[in-house]
Amino acid sequence: MSWRIDVAVHTPAHAALGDLLSYASDRALAPGTLVRVPLGRREVLGVVWRSALDEGEVHAAPPAPDASAMTLKPVGIALDGLAPLGEAWRDLVMFTARYYQRSLGEIALAALPPQLRDLTNVQLSRRLKRQAPPAQAPADHTPQAMQAPQALPVALTQEQSEALARIEAGSGTFLLFGSTGSGKTEVYLRAVATLLERQPDAQALVMVPEINLTPQLETRFKARFDARFGNGSVVSLHSGMTHPQRLASWLAAHSGAARIVLGTRMAVFASMPGLQLIVVDEEHDPSYKQQEGARYSARDLAVWRGQRENARVLLGSATPSLESWHQSRPAAGTDSGGRYQRLAMPSRVGAGALPTVRTVDMNLQPGKTVISGVLLDAIGQRVARGEQSMVFLNRRGYAPVLACGDCGWKSECPHCSAYRVFHKIDRTLRCHHCGFAERVPRACPACGNLDIAPVGRGTERLEEHLGELFADVKRPDGTPVRIARIDADSTRAQGALESQLAAVHAGEVDVLVGTQMIAKGHDFRRITLVAAINPDGALFSSDFRAPERLFSLLMQSAGRAGRDAAYLAAQGTTAEMWLQTHHGQHPLFAALRRHDYTSFAEPELEDRRAAGMPPFAFQALLRADARTQEAAQAFLTAASAAADVLEGADRVTRYPAVPLAIQRVANVERAQMLLESPSRAALQRLLAAWQPLLHALRREPEGKGVIRWLIDVDPHSI
């Protein structure tokens, strides 16, 4: 008997091949089974899926009525040694594909570890028999300064106890609104511990926004749980791991051997049959939104997955996203309130006070001042007392532009509509968009002038400038001031980030300079002063989310100061946050000075309600990449006209096509069109019905020159 098997394979949405491909098998295969199947000239990994024709059941293929009937290709091999992927996991993948307008196989295969695609049954059997190694270095190999003494639970504050009691008594999604240093991580640890003790087969997923936050979190979780549940009970999943590490962690989670999975946004797709709790730390962070390929929001999928699997979802942040804040609003009058339960923890652990926020009016400073005299004096006082300071500038490199003062030449990228950044450390001009780099010219390429100079400042130049300013300042032991820089350039080498963070924790750094990599999530115990050098750029951005991101980043930065109340008391000092700004009276800074997220969020929500913007409306972007800007915009304009005939098109506003802010990257012109609707369902129906028209449009004259198109649902940047 021959069976027809419908399989999800990796076919990108723009390929228009459909979600499922049919194959023949000599035996029935359960949905969720991993198989190898022929696709063109290759053999690829696929997932046996439910067929739309057989209501989810694998069924026997009827004999062909005549020779002209289509002959199905046979399935290669099935990875029988691996338990089929569960129905809940397949539902998550299907929802993601439908909601974010991608193909089913593209989501399903991207969610699996890459090495799984190449294993035979024999190799897989060996992997399953082998003891799964830890995904990261064992705890005793972690730098001493990064090992927090967390093996024994600490005493809970009243706010932590109340939050845990409400989590234990309730269900659904919770927003843990806790100030920086209020002990949100301890709440996560206790919630996970309670779950695992109560249910022997339960699993928990803990997500962080960035890879650099996983080492310290993994150290704390391993110290707390390894002794109780075994060395393999905590595993990590993120893109910084090797393929064998990712496979070992995924197999441990899929089999249930791993009780806790720590990871970045990709971990939301981990196969966890016993999932009962999902924690999304720093839920406001834009890093949870994927910006390549399938542009999903891991935070939103975590909430959906919790609802599907009846698992509690705990969203934690000191500066929640306005969407989550709105969804956790209490009931008032005719408003029944949001879908989330809000848990407030406004106090810092150990009676520590939030840092005092001071602003420096740069309008009163001499021209071209980088760091004001009062801020330099404040940092110098901290150095003299043996304390640490952090200087935050969200721009890496030495200078954003290299320019000629005679002819006006600037270091433009020949392949992008952007400038190449000057990196002094290796004397290169490097484009941060396409990666094109070349040596700094000895003279101006346009006029031959030898006097070409950097314009503006990045972290590399700021580090150098601070070194010059503090050249004569001594530490308490008489040694020179030690300045370190942490950004994407300084941490490029394997293990560089871990060693640099360890140096900061050990007190080997006096002044830490960095980008947003150091501004959130890190538990620096000796930093007592944080300074933001140039935060004004986002105040007047055309992106309506820019103020929200700026407030969050600054408040998170402030939270790195004064996290250890005992250390502050011993030093006889207080924590401070310094802001150098030309707009000190801006309402955003006024709310920041009071550490009052509510006074920032509520007016911002009212402005969005009046303007009909998220979370009171729903958006999507249709983007087109083409060889010319005219071709990209022509495709988008034709697509908008084609949508006129679709049912419900009148409920979705389609704005004119415009170039992106950086319209050319790697010699590809980019344009976009914004779609907006007060109804999520209406927007989704239009997008689903639009897909066939967009595929057909690629074959029309309007589609000539278009390289690719994509749909971005719930975009984070417009």
Side-chain angles (χ1 to χ4, degrees):
M1 177 180 290
S2 178
W3 297 74
R4 194 187 82 189
I5 309 295
D6 296 325
V7 180
V9 296
H10 191 169
T11 55
H14 62 265
L17 291 179
D19 278 337
L20 300 172
L21 301 181
S22 296
Y23 293 89
S25 173
D26 57 2
R27 60 190 177 98
L29 295 174
T33 301
L34 295 180
V35 293
R36 297 199 186 286
V37 294
L39 182 64
R41 298 180 180 180
R42 300 175 298 145
E43 187 174 74
V44 299
L45 184 68
V47 183
V48 175
W49 215 264
R50 297 179 177 181
S51 168
L53 300 177
D54 59 14
E55 300 181 351
E57 298 297 327
V58 182
H59 59 277
D66 54 54
S68 64
M70 180 179 64
T71 301
L72 299 180
K73 292 184 178 181
V75 169
I77 62 170
L79 300 183
D80 295 319
L82 199 64
L85 295 158
E87 181 181 2
W89 184 89
R90 300 197 307 276
D91 286 349
L92 171 68
V93 168
M94 181 170 288
F95 170 79
T96 305
R98 296 292 178 266
Y99 186 80
Y100 292 103
Q101 304 297 316
R102 309 299 293 192
S103 74
L104 193 62
E106 180 184 10
I107 301 296
L109 273 297
L112 299 175
Q115 198 174 36
L116 196 59
R117 304 170 192 175
D118 302 321
L119 294 182
T120 65
N121 264 324
V122 175
Q123 292 170 324
L124 179 60
S125 298
R126 292 172 183 167
R127 290 272 181 180
L128 295 173
K129 290 178 182 178
R130 194 182 308 165
Q131 179 74 25
Q136 298 286 344
D140 58 345
H141 290 172
T142 304
Q144 183 66 31
M146 293 185 63
Q147 293 191 22
Q150 297 293 335
L152 296 177
V154 296
L156 293 177
T157 66
Q158 182 178 350
E159 292 173 358
Q160 288 173 320
S161 298
E162 291 174 354
L164 284 166
R166 289 185 59 185
I167 294 170
E168 185 64 22
S171 61
T173 302
F174 302 84
L175 176 63
L176 185 61
F177 173 46
S179 66
T180 52
S182 61
K184 294 187 292 294
T185 303
E186 184 61 30
V187 172
Y188 305 154
L189 288 162
R190 295 293 184 100
V192 171
T194 301
L195 169 70
L196 300 191
E197 293 284 2
R198 185 177 63 243
Q199 300 184 40
D201 59 346
Q203 293 176 296
L205 171 62
V206 182
M207 296 169 59
V208 292
E210 295 182 5
I211 295 173
N212 64 65
L213 297 178
T214 55
Q216 68 176 19
L217 190 66
E218 185 174 16
T219 298
R220 294 188 66 173
F221 270 81
K222 283 181 175 293
R224 185 70 62 89
F225 294 107
D226 272 2
R228 296 162 70 179
F229 301 106
N231 288 334
S233 60
V234 180
V235 299
S236 294
L237 272 177
H238 56 76
S239 59
M241 302 166 64
T242 65
H243 287 346
Q245 287 174 334
R246 281 178 61 180
L247 178 61
S249 293
W250 187 89
L251 290 174
H254 179 65
S255 66
R259 306 294 304 280
I260 303 165
V261 175
L262 309 177
T264 51
R265 61 176 176 257
M266 64 180 294
V268 75
F269 292 109
S271 175
M272 303 176 67
L275 184 62
Q276 292 296 310
L277 174 67
I278 304 176
V279 175
V280 184
D281 192 25
E282 309 293 357
E283 65 85 27
H284 65 277
D285 199 289
S287 298
Y288 283 119
K289 182 73 159 71
Q290 170 79 346
Q291 295 299 333
E292 299 292 336
R295 303 193 169 202
Y296 62 86
S297 167
R299 179 201 63 203
D300 295 347
L301 289 181
V303 173
W304 190 92
R305 186 173 187 180
Q307 294 172 343
R308 167 61 180 82
E309 302 193 40
N310 197 27
R312 292 184 179 91
V313 179
L314 184 54
L315 309 176
S317 178
T319 54
S321 63
L322 290 181
E323 287 81 1
S324 295
W325 184 255
H326 180 65
Q327 288 296 346
S328 67
R329 69 192 185 280
T334 58
D335 185 356
S336 59
R339 296 182 293 118
Y340 305 165
Q341 301 178 53
R342 187 183 299 172
L343 313 173
M345 295 199 315
S347 306
R348 276 191 157 182
V349 172
L354 290 167
T356 302
V357 179
R358 305 183 185 280
T359 55
V360 179
D361 188 350
M362 297 304 289
N363 296 301
L364 304 179
Q365 299 296 317
K368 298 185 179 180
T369 297
V370 179
I371 300 180
S372 61
V374 288
L375 176 55
L376 280 174
D377 182 63
I379 296 175
Q381 292 179 27
R382 307 283 167 164
V383 172
R385 293 197 296 264
E387 300 167 15
Q388 294 175 317
S389 300
M390 187 178 90
V391 183
F392 164 66
L393 176 64
N394 206 22
R395 185 187 293 274
R396 62 188 174 101
Y398 188 85
V401 183
L402 201 63
C404 173
D406 283 359
C407 70
W409 172 87
K410 293 182 177 63
S411 55
E412 294 180 347
C413 176
H415 310 297
C416 307
S417 53
Y419 295 113
R420 285 174 293 167
V421 176
F422 173 38
H423 290 259
K424 186 176 181 180
I425 195 167
D426 58 1
R427 302 293 299 175
T428 61
L429 292 175
R430 193 181 311 153
C431 178
H432 290 176
H433 300 281
C434 71
F436 176 72
E438 59 183 10
R439 300 288 294 175
V440 174
R442 294 182 179 273
C444 173
C447 70
N449 176 30
L450 295 175
D451 188 17
I452 51 176
V455 178
R457 291 182 185 270
T459 50
E460 192 180 323
R461 191 176 189 184
L462 181 60
E463 178 190 22
E464 178 184 272
H465 186 59
L466 285 169
E468 296 169 351
L469 294 172
F470 287 106
D472 299 327
V473 178
K474 303 297 181 182
R475 304 177 66 249
D477 59 2
T479 57
V481 175
R482 296 169 299 191
I483 301 173
R485 171 172 55 91
I486 294 181
D487 56 25
D489 296 318
S490 68
T491 58
R492 193 168 297 171
Q494 182 74 22
L497 176 62
E498 288 78 5
S499 63
Q500 291 181 22
L501 289 176
V504 177
H505 286 289
E508 298 171 4
V509 174
D510 301 306
V511 182
L512 176 63
V513 179
T515 58
Q516 63 180 356
M517 287 181 66
I518 62 172
K520 50 195 174 184
H522 297 288
D523 189 20
F524 299 125
R525 311 303 290 178
R526 302 187 190 186
I527 286 181
T528 58
L529 181 147
V530 172
I533 297 303
N534 184 23
D536 291 347
L539 289 177
F540 309 104
S541 170
S542 58
D543 188 343
F544 70 91
R545 283 195 172 90
E548 177 187 359
R549 287 196 291 265
L550 176 62
F551 184 85
S552 171
L553 192 55
L554 293 178
M555 200 161 177
Q556 292 288 336
S557 300
R560 299 316 105 204
R563 297 178 69 87
D564 191 335
Y567 178 74
L568 290 177
Q571 292 290 108
T573 188
T574 57
E576 292 180 337
M577 166 71 167
W578 288 72
L579 297 170
Q580 293 193 160
T581 174
H582 291 85
H583 306 279
Q585 302 307 312
H586 194 283
L588 185 148
F589 294 136
L592 189 66
R593 279 191 287 268
R594 299 191 302 270
H595 297 279
D596 189 353
Y597 173 81
T598 303
S599 68
F600 164 78
E602 295 304 331
E604 194 75 11
L605 278 173
E606 286 305 313
D607 289 346
R608 292 196 187 181
R609 187 193 300 271
M613 291 181 173
F616 306 102
F618 305 94
Q619 296 178 332
L621 286 174
L622 175 62
R623 275 187 44 183
D625 295 348
R627 294 179 177 85
T628 65
Q629 185 65 213
E630 293 74 17
Q633 293 196 35
F635 175 80
L636 296 177
T637 302
S640 180
D644 287 336
V645 301
L646 299 178
E647 183 179 356
D650 56 331
R651 299 191 61 192
V652 178
T653 301
R654 284 159 283 143
Y655 293 92
V658 295
L660 269 70
I662 300 177
Q663 69 179 53
R664 180 167 54 92
V665 171
N667 293 321
V668 174
E669 294 285 340
R670 310 184 304 167
Q672 65 184 16
M673 179 173 62
L674 176 65
L675 293 86
E676 194 172 69
S677 175
S679 168
R680 190 194 300 270
L683 179 60
Q684 282 291 319
R685 281 195 295 269
L686 177 74
L687 293 177
W690 210 12
Q691 289 265 3
L693 301 182
L694 293 173
H695 286 301
L697 194 59
R698 280 289 303 275
R699 298 186 289 270
E700 300 295 328
E702 295 85 350
K704 300 292 183 176
V706 174
I707 300 171
R708 69 184 71 89
W709 58 267
L710 63 87
I711 293 174
D712 185 0
V713 181
D714 299 335
H716 271 214
S717 181
I718 297 177

